[in-house]
């Protein structure tokens, strides 16, 4: 009716249609258990490597850093970001949407954290914070977090090179339109000195149940840290490991090129993969009956429990995926683990229930119901 109203110019009609399409796209991103980019698990994957991410910290030239809390500068950066939608689309032929985070509910912002589209810090309700996101959610650009822009690109499996090339195209397209702060001696200038230089953080999400079960994970983490890399939990800095999932990333951003950073991190990850595979074979060789009993018990809890917490569900899902990988438990689809991890997170589950108020017990009961239904379909 609105679109057919007399006196409404074509320009306004197009704006309304565009807004409806953008709202629909963003709803799809929020409502989907798995982002589109994460639905394409490599066929040869044994679910040790879940995903790869590239993040570039960038600031615009001659503009105060975000941590100065200057409202004029924050508004200026947000305005620039909103004008980048067409630029981004031209760089990779994807559709982009810009959302003001302060217009979202607390639950919606928390879901974006669970989907790794924004950081936990970014979820705090602050003015002039926004998110530029592609239609398949493989690109997410945080606006006015610690830096003016945090450009993130994501790929399934161990695929840092493709993720970097994607980020590079976006980075070049934005820099051409709105130059970044750059110094010939120091590189890209950032709010935190630890990011100065390339501004690059490359990270890989790993599922390491056998290393955890054999008790070798702590020693491995110490070795990786001593080599100059960081190991964090499921949601990055400050988070714990949940479901035996870990993020491994570089720390150096000065005195090393982007290519060398990616090459070295890839070698580190390949070494971790080899260790995890060795541990899996050790578990099978040393006590196969005990391992099978442990994994089948986890499967039984997920298959029949009437209430389960978020932490326990992740632990049991990790066990089940290990059992599937070792051909001990019934095979499920290649993205089942990622889907159930996503759908059973507290905030997504709350939205999934379609209720304004949900008690912890109601949520735990519903989580168990969702898992039972999903497993019964396998």
């Amino acid at each position: 009716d609105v679109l057919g109203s007399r006196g409404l110019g074509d320009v306004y009609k197009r704006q309304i249609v565009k807004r409806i399409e953008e709202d629909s796209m963003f709803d799809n991103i929020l409502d989907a258990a798995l982002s589109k980019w994460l639905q394409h698990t490599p066929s040869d994957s044994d679910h040790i490597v879940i995903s790869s991410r590239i993040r570039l910290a960038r600031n615009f030239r001659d503009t105060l850093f975000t941590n100065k809390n200057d409202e004029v500068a924050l508004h200026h950066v947000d305005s620039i970001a909103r004008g980048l939608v067409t630029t981004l689309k031209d760089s990779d032929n994807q559709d982009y949407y810009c959302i003001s985070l302060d217009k979202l509910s607390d639950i919606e912002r928390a879901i974006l954290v669970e989907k790794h589209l924004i950081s936990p810090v970014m979820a705090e309700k602050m003015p002039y914070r926004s998110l530029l996101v592609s239609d398949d959610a493989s690109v997410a650009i945080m606006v006015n977090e610690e830096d003016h822009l945090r450009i993130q690109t994501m790929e399934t499996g161990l695929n840092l090179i493709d993720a970097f090339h994607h980020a590079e195209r976006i980075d070049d397209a934005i820099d051409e339109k709105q130059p970044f702060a750059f110094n010939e001696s120091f590189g890209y200038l950032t709010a935190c000195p630890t990011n100065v230089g390339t501004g690059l953080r490359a990270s890989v999400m790993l599922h390491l149940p056998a290393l955890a079960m054999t008790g070798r994970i702590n020693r491995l983490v110490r070795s990786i840290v001593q080599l100059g890399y960081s190991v964090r939990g499921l949601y990055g800095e400050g988070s714990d490991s949940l479901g035996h999932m870990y993020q491994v990333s570089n720390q150096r951003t000065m005195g090393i090129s982007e290519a060398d950073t990616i090459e070295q991190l890839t070698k580190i990850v390949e070494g971790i993969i080899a260790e995890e595979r060795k541990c899996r074979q050790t578990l099978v060789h040393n006590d196969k009956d005990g391992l099978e009993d442990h994994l089948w018990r986890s499967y039984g809890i997920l298959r029949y429990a009437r209430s389960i917490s978020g932490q326990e569900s992740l632990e049991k899902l990790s066990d089940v995926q290990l059992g599937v990988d070792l051909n001990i438990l019934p095979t499920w689809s290649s993205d089942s683990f990622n889907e159930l991890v996503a759908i059973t997170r507290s905030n997504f589950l709350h939205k999934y229930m379609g209720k304004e108020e949900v008690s912890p017990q109601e949520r735990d009961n519903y989580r168990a119901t969702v898992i039972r239904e999903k497993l019964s379909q396998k």
Side-chain angles (χ1 to χ4, degrees):
D1 291 341
V2 172
L3 295 180
S5 298
R6 292 183 178 179
L8 188 63
D10 290 341
V11 172
Y12 294 105
K13 290 180 183 179
R14 286 196 295 270
Q15 288 176 344
I16 292 173
V17 170
K18 184 173 184 295
R19 182 68 184 186
I20 291 171
E21 290 174 345
E22 288 177 341
D23 287 346
S24 176
M25 186 185 90
F26 192 69
D27 286 341
N28 288 338
I29 290 173
L30 283 177
D31 293 343
L34 278 185
S35 299
K36 289 181 181 179
W37 69 271
L38 197 51
Q39 295 174 7
H40 306 292
T41 305
S43 58
D44 61 345
S45 172
D46 51 9
H47 294 89
I48 295 175
V49 180
I50 297 174
S51 61
S52 300
R53 184 193 69 166
I54 294 293
R55 190 212 71 194
L56 302 176
R58 296 291 187 260
N59 292 279
F60 295 120
R61 186 187 301 170
D62 301 325
T63 305
L64 291 174
F65 286 149
T66 301
N67 58 11
K68 292 296 183 180
N69 291 318
D70 182 271
E71 291 232 353
V72 174
L74 292 172
H75 182 258
H76 176 61
V77 170
D78 189 56
S79 297
I80 293 173
R82 291 179 183 281
L84 292 175
V85 171
T86 301
T87 299
L88 293 169
K89 183 175 182 178
D90 291 342
S91 71
D92 62 9
N93 294 318
Q94 293 194 86
D95 288 325
Y96 281 83
Y97 179 56
C98 184
I99 179 68
S100 297
L101 295 183
D102 60 358
K103 293 182 179 178
L104 300 181
S105 67
D106 292 343
I107 290 291
E108 288 173 327
R109 291 197 302 276
I111 290 172
L112 293 177
V113 174
E114 291 176 350
K115 287 177 170 289
H116 302 282
L117 296 177
I118 65 173
S119 65
V121 171
M122 192 72 172
E124 298 173 7
K125 194 170 184 178
M126 300 286 285
Y128 302 118
R129 280 184 167 176
S130 55
L131 176 70
L132 286 160
V133 60
S134 63
D135 55 3
D136 68 350
S138 66
V139 180
I141 303 176
M142 293 182 284
V143 181
N144 280 330
E145 197 226 32
E146 185 176 68
D147 293 288
H148 293 158
L149 300 181
R150 289 286 177 92
I151 302 168
Q152 302 177 109
T153 55
M154 291 158 279
E155 296 279 348
T156 56
L158 182 54
N159 202 358
L160 288 170
I161 293 177
D162 282 355
F164 174 69
H165 288 160
H166 194 176
E168 192 175 36
R169 290 199 305 273
I170 292 169
D171 186 43
D172 290 343
I174 297 174
D175 189 36
E176 186 175 339
K177 184 178 179 66
Q178 192 74 34
F180 292 127
F182 183 86
N183 180 277
E184 290 296 333
S185 299
F186 296 105
Y188 289 100
L189 304 181
T190 58
C192 180
T194 59
N195 290 319
V196 171
T198 60
L200 169 69
R201 281 286 187 274
S203 64
V204 179
M205 183 75 75
L206 297 159
H207 178 225
L208 307 173
L211 280 164
M213 291 171 68
T214 57
R216 298 182 187 179
I217 188 67
N218 292 332
R219 184 178 62 185
L220 181 65
V221 168
R222 286 196 296 271
S223 298
I224 294 170
V225 171
Q226 288 173 356
L227 290 172
Y229 297 84
S230 66
V231 182
R232 295 167 175 163
L234 182 59
Y235 297 112
E237 188 172 3
S239 66
D240 297 324
S241 167
L242 297 171
H244 305 136
M245 285 181 279
Y246 300 84
Q247 288 188 54
V248 181
S249 63
N250 67 296
Q251 288 187 307
R252 284 182 61 197
T253 58
M254 286 194 71
I256 185 170
S257 69
E258 292 91 343
D260 286 343
T261 296
I262 291 169
E263 181 182 359
Q264 291 177 17
L265 179 59
T266 298
K267 289 180 180 178
I268 292 290
V269 171
E270 288 172 345
I272 297 172
I273 293 170
E275 288 299 314
E276 171 66 17
R277 287 175 176 158
K278 286 180 184 177
C279 284
R280 293 184 179 195
Q281 293 307 309
T282 298
L283 287 171
V284 172
H285 181 267
N286 289 349
D287 186 10
K288 186 177 181 181
D289 289 342
L291 176 64
E292 288 184 347
D293 181 67
H294 175 81
L295 299 179
W296 274 107
R297 284 175 183 271
S298 292
Y299 179 84
I301 288 173
L302 293 179
R303 185 69 181 82
Y304 298 106
R306 263 45 187 174
S307 182
I308 190 166
S309 69
Q311 181 171 347
E312 185 182 13
S313 69
L314 281 181
E315 291 171 355
K316 304 310 179 188
L317 286 169
S318 173
D319 287 344
V320 170
Q321 183 60 62
L322 176 61
V324 172
D325 290 340
L326 294 175
N327 296 316
I328 292 173
L329 296 182
T331 300
W332 57 6
S333 62
S334 60
D335 60 3
S336 293
F337 177 64
N338 290 337
E339 180 186 14
L340 283 168
V341 167
I343 209 170
T344 57
R345 298 298 80 224
S346 294
N347 294 289
F348 185 86
L349 198 66
H350 185 162
K351 190 173 188 298
Y352 200 59
M353 293 175 73
K355 297 174 64 175
E356 289 293 328
E357 298 294 332
V358 178
S359 69
Q361 187 61 56
E362 285 179 304
R363 191 168 56 222
D364 289 351
N365 293 349
Y366 191 71
R367 180 183 288 110
T369 299
V370 169
I371 293 173
R372 289 199 312 272
E373 291 176 349
K374 292 292 182 181
L375 288 182
S376 67
Q377 298 169 8
K378 307 307 175 189

